[in-house]
Amino acid sequence: MAPKTKKMKVENVEEENQDDASEPVQTIPKPNISRIKNKILRNEMYKKLKAEKRKAKLKEKQRKKKEAEDMGEEDAPKQVPKTIESMRVKDETMVDPEDKEVMMDEAQDEMATYFNRETSPKILITTCDRPCLRTNKFCKELKLTIPNSEIKYRRGLDLKKVIPQAIERDFTDILIVNEDRKEPNGLVITHLPEGPTLHFKLSSVRLTTEIKRVGEMSKHKPELILNNFNTRLGHSVGRVFASLFPHDPQFHGRRVVTLHNQRDFIFFRHHRYVFRNNKRVGLKELGPRFTLKLRSLQKGTFDSKFGEYEWVHKRKEMDTSRRKFSL
């Protein structure tokens, strides 16, 4: 028979270090379950550690709740949830709309004529060559969403030839919807006559027929809400979006178009709100619904070869959750 081996006793390191307070206290490391070769034992150990972690979390939650009850509702510290949005590193180019330098730049930029009420928006909506049925439907819904807009088909005409014709007919903006594999995947907005030109990646397109419990769209001029366009770049993008819609919305129509920027993704939503009572308001989505991602901001009108780019999206710029936001 094999001789019996003596079990090694784990000495308490903390008791030995009580005499010498200068030495750092060492603790036994937690077991690493990945070193367990047996799959069944490893699974049991994982469940055990997970249950202990759940109990500790519940105990801590009960302790905080008890402290809040003892302190009272007024004196209790407000807990802020730890989310990607709250942990983000803000961009250094965040601007204040009331800054004098920003106001001077706005008074001299390409959209100054719109905000000075010298021009009214007149939008030309067009597509790539030979668009599919889904792209045509998306353009028709954009026409219903954006007042004073028209749809013209390209018919193989170069975009550089379309821009002079649009300027002659007093169009203020051109919207070009591109597609790939019979699905809208890009949106180009060119402000006339001097630019700028914005190129967006278009994704998550949902037409009106694809939205559940969709409401009926009226012909009233909608309100426009722009959220989180707070940087220098976001300020320029927001002004381009604002120049697409009329100056004076018809509030009695209760239509509202929202462009919400979050982590450099722009979410487009179109609703009609209903006042249920003095405190509650209900929303009815009208459609369409889609998401935009800015790819480039070009000075002047569209020019793919010799255009001067003010901002270009860099690849893998969104890999980290705490990166600086550009919009």
Side-chain angles (χ1 to χ4, degrees), residues 34-78:
S34 61
R35 295 182 179 180
I36 301 175
K37 302 299 182 181
N38 193 309
K39 183 178 180 181
I40 298 175
L41 295 177
R42 185 170 64 247
N43 192 21
E44 290 178 357
M45 182 62 71
Y46 172 74
K47 290 180 179 179
K48 185 178 179 181
L49 292 176
K50 195 173 181 180
E52 292 178 355
K53 188 176 181 180
R54 194 185 304 113
K55 289 180 182 178
K57 188 176 180 180
L58 181 61
K59 190 176 180 181
E60 182 68 16
K61 187 177 180 180
Q62 292 175 353
R63 185 186 64 80
K64 290 181 179 180
K65 185 178 180 180
K66 187 176 180 182
E67 288 182 357
E69 291 176 355
D70 296 340
M71 296 176 65
E73 296 181 358
E74 297 180 356
D75 299 333
K78 187 177 181 181

mmCIF file of all heavy atoms in Angstrom, residues 34-78:
data_model
loop_
_atom_site.group_PDB
_atom_site.id
_atom_site.type_symbol
_atom_site.label_atom_id
_atom_site.label_comp_id
_atom_site.label_asym_id
_atom_site.label_seq_id
_atom_site.Cartn_x
_atom_site.Cartn_y
_atom_site.Cartn_z
ATOM 1 N N SER A 34 -10.664 28.223 -13.963
ATOM 2 C CA SER A 34 -10.230 27.794 -15.294
ATOM 3 C C SER A 34 -9.134 26.732 -15.222
ATOM 4 O O SER A 34 -8.888 26.029 -16.214
ATOM 5 C CB SER A 34 -9.728 28.996 -16.090
ATOM 6 O OG SER A 34 -8.624 29.594 -15.449
ATOM 7 N N ARG A 35 -8.485 26.601 -14.071
ATOM 8 C CA ARG A 35 -7.436 25.588 -13.922
ATOM 9 C C ARG A 35 -8.007 24.204 -13.620
ATOM 10 O O ARG A 35 -7.276 23.218 -13.672
ATOM 11 C CB ARG A 35 -6.484 25.998 -12.797
ATOM 12 C CG ARG A 35 -5.701 27.273 -13.108
ATOM 13 C CD ARG A 35 -4.750 27.603 -11.983
ATOM 14 N NE ARG A 35 -3.978 28.812 -12.277
ATOM 15 C CZ ARG A 35 -3.058 29.327 -11.450
ATOM 16 N NH1 ARG A 35 -2.831 28.727 -10.279
ATOM 17 N NH2 ARG A 35 -2.404 30.406 -11.795
ATOM 18 N N ILE A 36 -9.278 24.142 -13.295
ATOM 19 C CA ILE A 36 -9.900 22.846 -13.002
ATOM 20 C C ILE A 36 -10.146 22.123 -14.325
ATOM 21 O O ILE A 36 -10.872 22.613 -15.190
ATOM 22 C CB ILE A 36 -11.218 23.029 -12.220
ATOM 23 C CG1 ILE A 36 -10.948 23.773 -10.898
ATOM 24 C CG2 ILE A 36 -11.875 21.686 -11.940
ATOM 25 C CD1 ILE A 36 -12.193 24.107 -10.117
ATOM 26 N N LYS A 37 -9.558 20.954 -14.477
ATOM 27 C CA LYS A 37 -9.662 20.216 -15.741
ATOM 28 C C LYS A 37 -11.016 19.534 -15.902
ATOM 29 O O LYS A 37 -11.528 19.426 -17.004
ATOM 30 C CB LYS A 37 -8.543 19.170 -15.816
ATOM 31 C CG LYS A 37 -7.136 19.748 -15.713
ATOM 32 C CD LYS A 37 -6.850 20.702 -16.842
ATOM 33 C CE LYS A 37 -5.428 21.230 -16.763
ATOM 34 N NZ LYS A 37 -5.136 22.190 -17.856
ATOM 35 N N ASN A 38 -11.582 19.067 -14.789
ATOM 36 C CA ASN A 38 -12.855 18.356 -14.855
ATOM 37 C C ASN A 38 -13.973 19.351 -15.174
ATOM 38 O O ASN A 38 -14.181 20.337 -14.467
ATOM 39 C CB ASN A 38 -13.132 17.639 -13.536
ATOM 40 C CG ASN A 38 -14.272 16.652 -13.656
ATOM 41 O OD1 ASN A 38 -15.339 16.985 -14.127
ATOM 42 N ND2 ASN A 38 -14.032 15.424 -13.208
ATOM 43 N N LYS A 39 -14.712 19.054 -16.236
ATOM 44 C CA LYS A 39 -15.753 19.972 -16.676
ATOM 45 C C LYS A 39 -16.896 20.061 -15.676
ATOM 46 O O LYS A 39 -17.440 21.150 -15.423
ATOM 47 C CB LYS A 39 -16.277 19.515 -18.042
ATOM 48 C CG LYS A 39 -17.316 20.427 -18.645
ATOM 49 C CD LYS A 39 -17.740 19.928 -20.005
ATOM 50 C CE LYS A 39 -18.796 20.850 -20.605
ATOM 51 N NZ LYS A 39 -19.240 20.359 -21.946
ATOM 52 N N ILE A 40 -17.262 18.926 -15.072
ATOM 53 C CA ILE A 40 -18.388 18.914 -14.123
ATOM 54 C C ILE A 40 -18.020 19.684 -12.870
ATOM 55 O O ILE A 40 -18.799 20.510 -12.354
ATOM 56 C CB ILE A 40 -18.780 17.463 -13.798
ATOM 57 C CG1 ILE A 40 -19.238 16.743 -15.076
ATOM 58 C CG2 ILE A 40 -19.883 17.426 -12.744
ATOM 59 C CD1 ILE A 40 -19.528 15.279 -14.884
ATOM 60 N N LEU A 41 -16.815 19.427 -12.331
ATOM 61 C CA LEU A 41 -16.380 20.149 -11.135
ATOM 62 C C LEU A 41 -16.224 21.645 -11.416
ATOM 63 O O LEU A 41 -16.552 22.485 -10.567
ATOM 64 C CB LEU A 41 -15.054 19.570 -10.634
ATOM 65 C CG LEU A 41 -15.094 18.121 -10.130
ATOM 66 C CD1 LEU A 41 -13.705 17.667 -9.727
ATOM 67 C CD2 LEU A 41 -16.060 17.991 -8.953
ATOM 68 N N ARG A 42 -15.730 21.985 -12.602
ATOM 69 C CA ARG A 42 -15.570 23.396 -12.952
ATOM 70 C C ARG A 42 -16.917 24.097 -13.034
ATOM 71 O O ARG A 42 -17.086 25.242 -12.598
ATOM 72 C CB ARG A 42 -14.823 23.498 -14.283
ATOM 73 C CG ARG A 42 -14.486 24.937 -14.681
ATOM 74 C CD ARG A 42 -13.563 24.996 -15.860
ATOM 75 N NE ARG A 42 -14.183 24.444 -17.050
ATOM 76 C CZ ARG A 42 -13.799 23.344 -17.661
ATOM 77 N NH1 ARG A 42 -12.797 22.625 -17.169
ATOM 78 N NH2 ARG A 42 -14.413 22.924 -18.758
ATOM 79 N N ASN A 43 -17.914 23.402 -13.569
ATOM 80 C CA ASN A 43 -19.256 23.981 -13.671
ATOM 81 C C ASN A 43 -19.883 24.166 -12.297
ATOM 82 O O ASN A 43 -20.540 25.188 -12.021
ATOM 83 C CB ASN A 43 -20.125 23.075 -14.544
ATOM 84 C CG ASN A 43 -21.429 23.736 -14.933
ATOM 85 O OD1 ASN A 43 -21.548 24.955 -14.894
ATOM 86 N ND2 ASN A 43 -22.412 22.937 -15.306
ATOM 87 N N GLU A 44 -19.688 23.197 -11.417
ATOM 88 C CA GLU A 44 -20.213 23.317 -10.048
ATOM 89 C C GLU A 44 -19.543 24.453 -9.292
ATOM 90 O O GLU A 44 -20.208 25.205 -8.565
ATOM 91 C CB GLU A 44 -20.011 21.993 -9.312
ATOM 92 C CG GLU A 44 -20.892 20.859 -9.825
ATOM 93 C CD GLU A 44 -20.628 19.557 -9.092
ATOM 94 O OE1 GLU A 44 -19.717 19.557 -8.231
ATOM 95 O OE2 GLU A 44 -21.321 18.553 -9.374
ATOM 96 N N MET A 45 -18.227 24.598 -9.456
ATOM 97 C CA MET A 45 -17.519 25.687 -8.798
ATOM 98 C C MET A 45 -17.968 27.049 -9.330
ATOM 99 O O MET A 45 -18.123 28.013 -8.572
ATOM 100 C CB MET A 45 -16.018 25.513 -9.011
ATOM 101 C CG MET A 45 -15.163 26.572 -8.330
ATOM 102 S SD MET A 45 -15.323 26.571 -6.524
ATOM 103 C CE MET A 45 -14.463 25.034 -6.151
ATOM 104 N N TYR A 46 -18.224 27.119 -10.644
ATOM 105 C CA TYR A 46 -18.701 28.367 -11.231
ATOM 106 C C TYR A 46 -20.072 28.762 -10.674
ATOM 107 O O TYR A 46 -20.321 29.934 -10.345
ATOM 108 C CB TYR A 46 -18.761 28.218 -12.748
ATOM 109 C CG TYR A 46 -19.412 29.383 -13.445
ATOM 110 C CD1 TYR A 46 -18.750 30.601 -13.583
ATOM 111 C CD2 TYR A 46 -20.708 29.277 -13.960
ATOM 112 C CE1 TYR A 46 -19.353 31.671 -14.219
ATOM 113 C CE2 TYR A 46 -21.317 30.337 -14.589
ATOM 114 C CZ TYR A 46 -20.635 31.532 -14.716
ATOM 115 O OH TYR A 46 -21.229 32.599 -15.326
ATOM 116 N N LYS A 47 -20.973 27.783 -10.560
ATOM 117 C CA LYS A 47 -22.294 28.062 -9.992
ATOM 118 C C LYS A 47 -22.195 28.509 -8.543
ATOM 119 O O LYS A 47 -22.934 29.398 -8.097
ATOM 120 C CB LYS A 47 -23.175 26.822 -10.112
ATOM 121 C CG LYS A 47 -23.589 26.479 -11.534
ATOM 122 C CD LYS A 47 -24.465 25.245 -11.563
ATOM 123 C CE LYS A 47 -24.898 24.909 -12.990
ATOM 124 N NZ LYS A 47 -25.739 23.682 -13.035
ATOM 125 N N LYS A 48 -21.266 27.905 -7.809
ATOM 126 C CA LYS A 48 -21.097 28.260 -6.401
ATOM 127 C C LYS A 48 -20.583 29.698 -6.262
ATOM 128 O O LYS A 48 -21.096 30.484 -5.448
ATOM 129 C CB LYS A 48 -20.133 27.281 -5.748
ATOM 130 C CG LYS A 48 -19.962 27.480 -4.254
ATOM 131 C CD LYS A 48 -19.027 26.435 -3.667
ATOM 132 C CE LYS A 48 -18.833 26.665 -2.169
ATOM 133 N NZ LYS A 48 -17.887 25.661 -1.592
ATOM 134 N N LEU A 49 -19.579 30.059 -7.051
ATOM 135 C CA LEU A 49 -19.044 31.425 -7.001
ATOM 136 C C LEU A 49 -20.086 32.445 -7.458
ATOM 137 O O LEU A 49 -20.175 33.554 -6.919
ATOM 138 C CB LEU A 49 -17.799 31.517 -7.878
ATOM 139 C CG LEU A 49 -16.568 30.740 -7.408
ATOM 140 C CD1 LEU A 49 -15.457 30.843 -8.439
ATOM 141 C CD2 LEU A 49 -16.083 31.245 -6.060
ATOM 142 N N LYS A 50 -20.887 32.072 -8.456
ATOM 143 C CA LYS A 50 -21.920 32.982 -8.936
ATOM 144 C C LYS A 50 -23.001 33.201 -7.880
ATOM 145 O O LYS A 50 -23.496 34.326 -7.701
ATOM 146 C CB LYS A 50 -22.537 32.402 -10.210
ATOM 147 C CG LYS A 50 -23.354 33.401 -11.007
ATOM 148 C CD LYS A 50 -23.783 32.820 -12.337
ATOM 149 C CE LYS A 50 -24.569 33.859 -13.129
ATOM 150 N NZ LYS A 50 -25.003 33.297 -14.446
ATOM 151 N N ALA A 51 -23.362 32.144 -7.147
ATOM 152 C CA ALA A 51 -24.362 32.279 -6.084
ATOM 153 C C ALA A 51 -23.828 33.144 -4.949
ATOM 154 O O ALA A 51 -24.563 33.975 -4.391
ATOM 155 C CB ALA A 51 -24.743 30.894 -5.562
ATOM 156 N N GLU A 52 -22.541 32.972 -4.601
ATOM 157 C CA GLU A 52 -21.944 33.806 -3.556
ATOM 158 C C GLU A 52 -21.900 35.271 -3.980
ATOM 159 O O GLU A 52 -22.155 36.169 -3.169
ATOM 160 C CB GLU A 52 -20.541 33.306 -3.249
ATOM 161 C CG GLU A 52 -20.509 31.934 -2.567
ATOM 162 C CD GLU A 52 -19.089 31.456 -2.334
ATOM 163 O OE1 GLU A 52 -18.155 32.162 -2.787
ATOM 164 O OE2 GLU A 52 -18.907 30.376 -1.731
ATOM 165 N N LYS A 53 -21.599 35.522 -5.233
ATOM 166 C CA LYS A 53 -21.565 36.894 -5.732
ATOM 167 C C LYS A 53 -22.959 37.518 -5.716
ATOM 168 O O LYS A 53 -23.127 38.704 -5.380
ATOM 169 C CB LYS A 53 -21.001 36.899 -7.146
ATOM 170 C CG LYS A 53 -20.745 38.285 -7.713
ATOM 171 C CD LYS A 53 -20.102 38.188 -9.078
ATOM 172 C CE LYS A 53 -19.835 39.577 -9.638
ATOM 173 N NZ LYS A 53 -19.201 39.486 -10.996
ATOM 174 N N ARG A 54 -23.974 36.720 -6.044
ATOM 175 C CA ARG A 54 -25.347 37.206 -6.020
ATOM 176 C C ARG A 54 -25.800 37.532 -4.607
ATOM 177 O O ARG A 54 -26.467 38.558 -4.373
ATOM 178 C CB ARG A 54 -26.268 36.155 -6.640
ATOM 179 C CG ARG A 54 -27.657 36.685 -6.978
ATOM 180 C CD ARG A 54 -28.582 35.587 -7.470
ATOM 181 N NE ARG A 54 -28.042 34.876 -8.599
ATOM 182 C CZ ARG A 54 -27.655 33.615 -8.586
ATOM 183 N NH1 ARG A 54 -27.733 32.902 -7.454
ATOM 184 N NH2 ARG A 54 -27.199 33.028 -9.672
ATOM 185 N N LYS A 55 -25.416 36.699 -3.642
ATOM 186 C CA LYS A 55 -25.766 36.963 -2.248
ATOM 187 C C LYS A 55 -25.086 38.224 -1.737
ATOM 188 O O LYS A 55 -25.695 39.029 -1.029
ATOM 189 C CB LYS A 55 -25.384 35.757 -1.390
ATOM 190 C CG LYS A 55 -26.265 34.536 -1.600
ATOM 191 C CD LYS A 55 -25.815 33.389 -0.704
ATOM 192 C CE LYS A 55 -26.671 32.142 -0.935
ATOM 193 N NZ LYS A 55 -26.211 31.004 -0.090
ATOM 194 N N ALA A 56 -23.807 38.400 -2.089
ATOM 195 C CA ALA A 56 -23.087 39.595 -1.655
ATOM 196 C C ALA A 56 -23.687 40.861 -2.257
ATOM 197 O O ALA A 56 -23.799 41.893 -1.593
ATOM 198 C CB ALA A 56 -21.615 39.475 -2.034
ATOM 199 N N LYS A 57 -24.109 40.772 -3.503
ATOM 200 C CA LYS A 57 -24.727 41.924 -4.156
ATOM 201 C C LYS A 57 -26.068 42.266 -3.518
ATOM 202 O O LYS A 57 -26.384 43.448 -3.290
ATOM 203 C CB LYS A 57 -24.910 41.613 -5.640
ATOM 204 C CG LYS A 57 -25.359 42.789 -6.471
ATOM 205 C CD LYS A 57 -25.415 42.420 -7.938
ATOM 206 C CE LYS A 57 -25.866 43.613 -8.775
ATOM 207 N NZ LYS A 57 -25.923 43.245 -10.226
ATOM 208 N N LEU A 58 -26.862 41.237 -3.185
ATOM 209 C CA LEU A 58 -28.147 41.463 -2.529
ATOM 210 C C LEU A 58 -27.962 42.041 -1.131
ATOM 211 O O LEU A 58 -28.710 42.930 -0.702
ATOM 212 C CB LEU A 58 -28.925 40.150 -2.472
ATOM 213 C CG LEU A 58 -30.318 40.195 -1.827
ATOM 214 C CD1 LEU A 58 -31.222 41.143 -2.592
ATOM 215 C CD2 LEU A 58 -30.927 38.807 -1.764
ATOM 216 N N LYS A 59 -26.949 41.544 -0.427
ATOM 217 C CA LYS A 59 -26.669 42.048 0.922
ATOM 218 C C LYS A 59 -26.256 43.508 0.878
ATOM 219 O O LYS A 59 -26.683 44.316 1.727
ATOM 220 C CB LYS A 59 -25.578 41.188 1.560
ATOM 221 C CG LYS A 59 -25.359 41.456 3.023
ATOM 222 C CD LYS A 59 -24.329 40.487 3.596
ATOM 223 C CE LYS A 59 -24.108 40.754 5.089
ATOM 224 N NZ LYS A 59 -23.092 39.820 5.649
ATOM 225 N N GLU A 60 -25.424 43.881 -0.094
ATOM 226 C CA GLU A 60 -25.002 45.275 -0.230
ATOM 227 C C GLU A 60 -26.178 46.174 -0.606
ATOM 228 O O GLU A 60 -26.296 47.308 -0.134
ATOM 229 C CB GLU A 60 -23.909 45.354 -1.294
ATOM 230 C CG GLU A 60 -23.334 46.731 -1.511
ATOM 231 C CD GLU A 60 -22.533 47.237 -0.324
ATOM 232 O OE1 GLU A 60 -22.169 46.416 0.539
ATOM 233 O OE2 GLU A 60 -22.283 48.459 -0.270
ATOM 234 N N LYS A 61 -27.071 45.662 -1.436
ATOM 235 C CA LYS A 61 -28.247 46.435 -1.825
ATOM 236 C C LYS A 61 -29.169 46.680 -0.628
ATOM 237 O O LYS A 61 -29.702 47.783 -0.449
ATOM 238 C CB LYS A 61 -28.988 45.690 -2.933
ATOM 239 C CG LYS A 61 -30.140 46.456 -3.539
ATOM 240 C CD LYS A 61 -30.761 45.670 -4.672
ATOM 241 C CE LYS A 61 -31.929 46.427 -5.294
ATOM 242 N NZ LYS A 61 -32.548 45.651 -6.414
ATOM 243 N N GLN A 62 -29.352 45.658 0.205
ATOM 244 C CA GLN A 62 -30.178 45.812 1.401
ATOM 245 C C GLN A 62 -29.547 46.783 2.385
ATOM 246 O O GLN A 62 -30.245 47.561 3.058
ATOM 247 C CB GLN A 62 -30.402 44.447 2.044
ATOM 248 C CG GLN A 62 -31.278 43.511 1.226
ATOM 249 C CD GLN A 62 -31.375 42.130 1.826
ATOM 250 O OE1 GLN A 62 -30.677 41.815 2.794
ATOM 251 N NE2 GLN A 62 -32.243 41.284 1.256
ATOM 252 N N ARG A 63 -28.205 46.748 2.487
ATOM 253 C CA ARG A 63 -27.523 47.669 3.393
ATOM 254 C C ARG A 63 -27.706 49.122 2.954
ATOM 255 O O ARG A 63 -28.000 50.004 3.773
ATOM 256 C CB ARG A 63 -26.032 47.330 3.448
ATOM 257 C CG ARG A 63 -25.228 48.154 4.454
ATOM 258 C CD ARG A 63 -23.750 47.863 4.329
ATOM 259 N NE ARG A 63 -23.228 48.274 3.036
ATOM 260 C CZ ARG A 63 -22.905 49.536 2.740
ATOM 261 N NH1 ARG A 63 -23.048 50.509 3.644
ATOM 262 N NH2 ARG A 63 -22.428 49.845 1.557
ATOM 263 N N LYS A 64 -27.573 49.379 1.647
ATOM 264 C CA LYS A 64 -27.758 50.734 1.134
ATOM 265 C C LYS A 64 -29.198 51.200 1.300
ATOM 266 O O LYS A 64 -29.455 52.372 1.601
ATOM 267 C CB LYS A 64 -27.354 50.792 -0.335
ATOM 268 C CG LYS A 64 -25.867 50.654 -0.570
ATOM 269 C CD LYS A 64 -25.547 50.755 -2.054
ATOM 270 C CE LYS A 64 -24.056 50.640 -2.299
ATOM 271 N NZ LYS A 64 -23.723 50.742 -3.745
ATOM 272 N N LYS A 65 -30.133 50.287 1.120
ATOM 273 C CA LYS A 65 -31.541 50.642 1.290
ATOM 274 C C LYS A 65 -31.843 50.993 2.741
ATOM 275 O O LYS A 65 -32.584 51.948 3.031
ATOM 276 C CB LYS A 65 -32.412 49.476 0.827
ATOM 277 C CG LYS A 65 -33.900 49.779 0.845
ATOM 278 C CD LYS A 65 -34.694 48.595 0.317
ATOM 279 C CE LYS A 65 -36.197 48.890 0.337
ATOM 280 N NZ LYS A 65 -36.991 47.733 -0.178
ATOM 281 N N LYS A 66 -31.254 50.245 3.675
ATOM 282 C CA LYS A 66 -31.467 50.524 5.085
ATOM 283 C C LYS A 66 -30.855 51.856 5.482
ATOM 284 O O LYS A 66 -31.439 52.631 6.262
ATOM 285 C CB LYS A 66 -30.870 49.389 5.924
ATOM 286 C CG LYS A 66 -31.189 49.494 7.403
ATOM 287 C CD LYS A 66 -30.640 48.294 8.151
ATOM 288 C CE LYS A 66 -30.961 48.407 9.650
ATOM 289 N NZ LYS A 66 -30.397 47.265 10.412
ATOM 290 N N GLU A 67 -29.658 52.167 4.947
ATOM 291 C CA GLU A 67 -29.025 53.460 5.232
ATOM 292 C C GLU A 67 -29.864 54.611 4.690
ATOM 293 O O GLU A 67 -29.991 55.651 5.340
ATOM 294 C CB GLU A 67 -27.627 53.490 4.624
ATOM 295 C CG GLU A 67 -26.613 52.627 5.335
ATOM 296 C CD GLU A 67 -25.236 52.742 4.710
ATOM 297 O OE1 GLU A 67 -25.123 53.458 3.676
ATOM 298 O OE2 GLU A 67 -24.287 52.123 5.229
ATOM 299 N N ALA A 68 -30.445 54.411 3.497
ATOM 300 C CA ALA A 68 -31.279 55.466 2.924
ATOM 301 C C ALA A 68 -32.542 55.690 3.745
ATOM 302 O O ALA A 68 -32.994 56.831 3.920
ATOM 303 C CB ALA A 68 -31.639 55.104 1.480
ATOM 304 N N GLU A 69 -33.131 54.616 4.290
ATOM 305 C CA GLU A 69 -34.318 54.759 5.135
ATOM 306 C C GLU A 69 -33.984 55.451 6.450
ATOM 307 O O GLU A 69 -34.786 56.248 6.953
ATOM 308 C CB GLU A 69 -34.930 53.382 5.399
ATOM 309 C CG GLU A 69 -35.563 52.752 4.157
ATOM 310 C CD GLU A 69 -36.081 51.353 4.444
ATOM 311 O OE1 GLU A 69 -35.845 50.871 5.576
ATOM 312 O OE2 GLU A 69 -36.709 50.756 3.546
ATOM 313 N N ASP A 70 -32.815 55.149 7.024
ATOM 314 C CA ASP A 70 -32.420 55.799 8.273
ATOM 315 C C ASP A 70 -32.124 57.281 8.077
ATOM 316 O O ASP A 70 -32.441 58.110 8.936
ATOM 317 C CB ASP A 70 -31.194 55.090 8.853
ATOM 318 C CG ASP A 70 -31.498 53.648 9.246
ATOM 319 O OD1 ASP A 70 -32.700 53.331 9.432
ATOM 320 O OD2 ASP A 70 -30.548 52.840 9.339
ATOM 321 N N MET A 71 -31.525 57.633 6.928
ATOM 322 C CA MET A 71 -31.172 59.029 6.664
ATOM 323 C C MET A 71 -32.363 59.850 6.196
ATOM 324 O O MET A 71 -32.370 61.069 6.341
ATOM 325 C CB MET A 71 -30.061 59.098 5.615
ATOM 326 C CG MET A 71 -28.753 58.480 6.051
ATOM 327 S SD MET A 71 -27.515 58.491 4.742
ATOM 328 C CE MET A 71 -27.266 60.246 4.531
ATOM 329 N N GLY A 72 -33.363 59.205 5.639
ATOM 330 C CA GLY A 72 -34.510 59.938 5.112
ATOM 331 C C GLY A 72 -34.355 60.188 3.624
ATOM 332 O O GLY A 72 -33.263 60.110 3.058
ATOM 333 N N GLU A 73 -35.468 60.516 2.965
ATOM 334 C CA GLU A 73 -35.447 60.712 1.519
ATOM 335 C C GLU A 73 -34.671 61.951 1.116
ATOM 336 O O GLU A 73 -34.013 61.980 0.083
ATOM 337 C CB GLU A 73 -36.883 60.812 0.988
ATOM 338 C CG GLU A 73 -37.695 59.544 1.170
ATOM 339 C CD GLU A 73 -39.079 59.677 0.604
ATOM 340 O OE1 GLU A 73 -39.398 60.776 0.110
ATOM 341 O OE2 GLU A 73 -39.841 58.696 0.659
ATOM 342 N N GLU A 74 -34.714 63.013 1.937
ATOM 343 C CA GLU A 74 -34.052 64.261 1.565
ATOM 344 C C GLU A 74 -32.540 64.174 1.722
ATOM 345 O O GLU A 74 -31.788 64.695 0.902
ATOM 346 C CB GLU A 74 -34.602 65.410 2.411
ATOM 347 C CG GLU A 74 -36.091 65.660 2.186
ATOM 348 C CD GLU A 74 -36.601 66.802 3.045
ATOM 349 O OE1 GLU A 74 -35.807 67.321 3.855
ATOM 350 O OE2 GLU A 74 -37.782 67.159 2.899
ATOM 351 N N ASP A 75 -32.069 63.531 2.801
ATOM 352 C CA ASP A 75 -30.636 63.471 3.074
ATOM 353 C C ASP A 75 -29.945 62.311 2.374
ATOM 354 O O ASP A 75 -28.711 62.242 2.365
ATOM 355 C CB ASP A 75 -30.401 63.348 4.584
ATOM 356 C CG ASP A 75 -30.957 64.551 5.348
ATOM 357 O OD1 ASP A 75 -31.030 65.639 4.726
ATOM 358 O OD2 ASP A 75 -31.321 64.405 6.526
ATOM 359 N N ALA A 76 -30.682 61.384 1.809
ATOM 360 C CA ALA A 76 -30.078 60.213 1.180
ATOM 361 C C ALA A 76 -29.351 60.633 -0.097
ATOM 362 O O ALA A 76 -29.860 61.430 -0.880
ATOM 363 C CB ALA A 76 -31.148 59.179 0.843
ATOM 364 N N PRO A 77 -28.122 60.132 -0.317
ATOM 365 C CA PRO A 77 -27.384 60.496 -1.536
ATOM 366 C C PRO A 77 -28.038 59.904 -2.774
ATOM 367 O O PRO A 77 -28.502 58.766 -2.770
ATOM 368 C CB PRO A 77 -25.996 59.881 -1.301
ATOM 369 C CG PRO A 77 -26.224 58.779 -0.329
ATOM 370 C CD PRO A 77 -27.371 59.211 0.546
ATOM 371 N N LYS A 78 -28.081 60.686 -3.843
ATOM 372 C CA LYS A 78 -28.694 60.249 -5.084
ATOM 373 C C LYS A 78 -27.738 59.330 -5.827
ATOM 374 O O LYS A 78 -26.593 59.702 -6.091
ATOM 375 C CB LYS A 78 -29.053 61.457 -5.958
ATOM 376 C CG LYS A 78 -29.855 61.094 -7.189
ATOM 377 C CD LYS A 78 -30.246 62.332 -7.969
ATOM 378 C CE LYS A 78 -31.068 61.972 -9.204
ATOM 379 N NZ LYS A 78 -31.440 63.178 -9.984
#
